[in-house]
């Protein structure tokens, strides 16, 4: 049983870039659970007091999606640095431009469509403000002193149309406020016809007192994984995930404004 727990723990891995060092006032974390077989991709870039980050689910199997993600990474990092480095940068305009650049890259690769539900955000640490575009992905969940709710807005996934227009949204984070993003693999994780679903994920965030982004990600991924694999050992579940072509990646991203 001890080895089962070790194998299950090893199946959850951090997605943050190796050199990622967020500025004070930002707690950002990204994790995936189990063997990666799909196209989930996360990246983040710190530009002064701003943190730009991207979560996308590129259509296709892992090998093909990985090649596309490598190009998207270069475009995202280069343009994020250029767009957000000026202290007086217009963050809404910069996010819009960044999303357009990522979409153009997806459209130009391989001569075929790569439907990619994508979230792109820029968090301004001194102001506690997140500017974001949610393009075809599950809406982010947000919790503060008012309650837990979804952040509406967005549009169609990237990678489908050359000329896309997405309206950026803005969310203020009070100290202790939390935002959670998950990919469809988490939401649609299920047993038979029963999905884990956004309602369960919302309840987890609403009823949890976990203070850190890393703990929030771990809680959601563990709960989704357990829901899908209940009744089998952790080892058999991990092996089944690795061999099945019908499973999506389980990926979670959390952003927290620390209280101190």
């Amino acid at each position: 049983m001890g080895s089962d727990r070790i194998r299950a723990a090893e199946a959850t891995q951090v997605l943050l870039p190796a050199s990622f060092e967020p500025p004070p006032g930002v707690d950002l974390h990204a994790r995936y659970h189990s063997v990666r077989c799909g196209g989930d991709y996360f990246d983040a870039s710190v530009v002064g007091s701003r943190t730009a980050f991207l979560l996308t689910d590129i259509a296709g199997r892992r090998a093909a999606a990985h090649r596309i993600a490598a190009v998207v990474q270069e475009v995202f990092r280069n343009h994020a640095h250029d767009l957000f480095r000026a202290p007086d940068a217009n963050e809404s305009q910069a996010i819009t431009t960044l999303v357009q650049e990522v979409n153009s890259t997806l459209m130009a690769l391989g001569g075929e469509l790569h439907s990619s539900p994508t979230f792109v955000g820029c968090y301004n640490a001194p102001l506690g403000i997140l500017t974001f575009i949610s393009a075809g992905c599950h809406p982010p969940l947000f919790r503060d002193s008012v309650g837990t709710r979804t952040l509406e807005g967005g549009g169609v996934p990237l990678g489908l149309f050359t000329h896309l227009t997405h309206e950026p949204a803005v969310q203020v984070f009070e100290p202790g406020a939390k935002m959670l993003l998950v990919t469809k693999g988490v939401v649609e994780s299920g047993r038979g016809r029963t999905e884990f679903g956004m309602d369960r994920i919302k309840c987890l965030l609403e009823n949890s007192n976990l203070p850190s982004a890393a703990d929030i990600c771990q809680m959601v991924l563990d709960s989704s994984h357990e829901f899908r694999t209940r009744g089998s050992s952790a080892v058999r579940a991990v092996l089944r995930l690795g061999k099945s072509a019908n499973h999506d990646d389980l990926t979670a991203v959390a952003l927290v404004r620390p209280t101190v």
Side-chain angles (χ1 to χ4, degrees):
M1 183 63 67
S3 61
D4 287 2
R5 293 196 184 98
I6 293 173
R7 289 286 298 275
E10 288 175 345
T12 304
Q13 300 182 32
V14 178
L15 281 176
L16 290 173
S19 59
F20 182 72
E21 295 183 9
V26 181
D27 182 8
L28 177 66
H29 202 82
R31 299 185 79 92
Y32 69 84
H33 199 299
S34 301
V35 179
R36 300 186 73 188
C37 56
D40 285 7
Y41 172 70
F42 173 85
D43 202 4
S45 181
V46 175
V47 187
S49 61
R50 299 182 175 103
T51 303
F53 61 99
L54 171 149
L55 175 64
T56 187
D57 181 3
I58 301 169
R61 302 299 299 163
R62 178 64 180 160
H66 181 76
R67 291 192 295 270
I68 298 170
V71 182
V72 170
Q73 178 188 66
E74 182 178 3
V75 170
F76 168 77
R77 292 184 179 183
N78 289 341
H79 284 280
H81 180 268
D82 292 341
L83 291 166
F84 294 113
R85 63 181 175 181
D88 60 347
N90 183 316
E91 292 172 4
S92 291
Q93 182 177 349
I95 279 288
T96 301
T97 301
L98 184 56
V99 168
Q100 290 172 343
E101 293 294 341
V102 171
N103 183 63
S104 296
T105 300
L106 289 167
M107 292 297 300
L109 291 173
E112 59 183 82
L113 298 181
H114 300 283
S115 178
S116 304
T118 302
F119 183 97
V120 180
C122 174
Y123 183 75
N124 187 314
L127 299 180
I129 293 177
L130 174 71
T131 305
F132 67 92
I133 287 176
S134 181
C137 51
H138 288 284
L141 293 170
F142 184 77
R143 176 182 169 182
D144 60 7
S145 60
V146 176
T148 304
R149 56 199 181 275
T150 57
L151 299 182
E152 301 299 337
V156 300
L158 304 186
L160 294 177
F161 303 101
T162 303
H163 301 291
L164 281 177
T165 300
H166 294 89
E167 287 293 327
V170 175
Q171 179 61 51
V172 177
F173 280 60
E174 64 184 24
K178 308 167 183 178
M179 186 189 73
L180 173 66
L181 293 166
V182 295
T183 53
K184 69 175 183 177
V186 179
V187 179
E188 298 177 2
S189 181
R191 302 189 308 272
R193 298 182 179 180
T194 304
E195 290 185 351
F196 190 60
M198 286 297 294
D199 287 343
R200 285 187 176 86
I201 299 169
K202 181 179 179 182
C203 285
L204 285 171
L205 183 63
E206 189 171 35
N207 297 318
S208 170
N209 292 320
L210 296 172
S212 77
D215 289 341
I216 292 170
C217 290
Q218 191 71 57
M219 170 191 66
V220 171
L221 294 180
D222 286 349
S223 298
S224 176
H225 181 67
E226 179 185 358
F227 182 82
R228 179 160 68 184
T229 61
R230 192 173 297 159
S232 62
S233 74
V235 171
R236 290 198 303 271
V238 170
L239 292 176
R240 187 168 63 253
L241 272 170
K243 293 178 181 179
S244 173
N246 297 320
H247 285 298
D248 290 315
D249 294 341
L250 307 182
T251 306
V253 176
L255 173 64
V256 176
R257 183 179 184 183
T259 56
V260 291

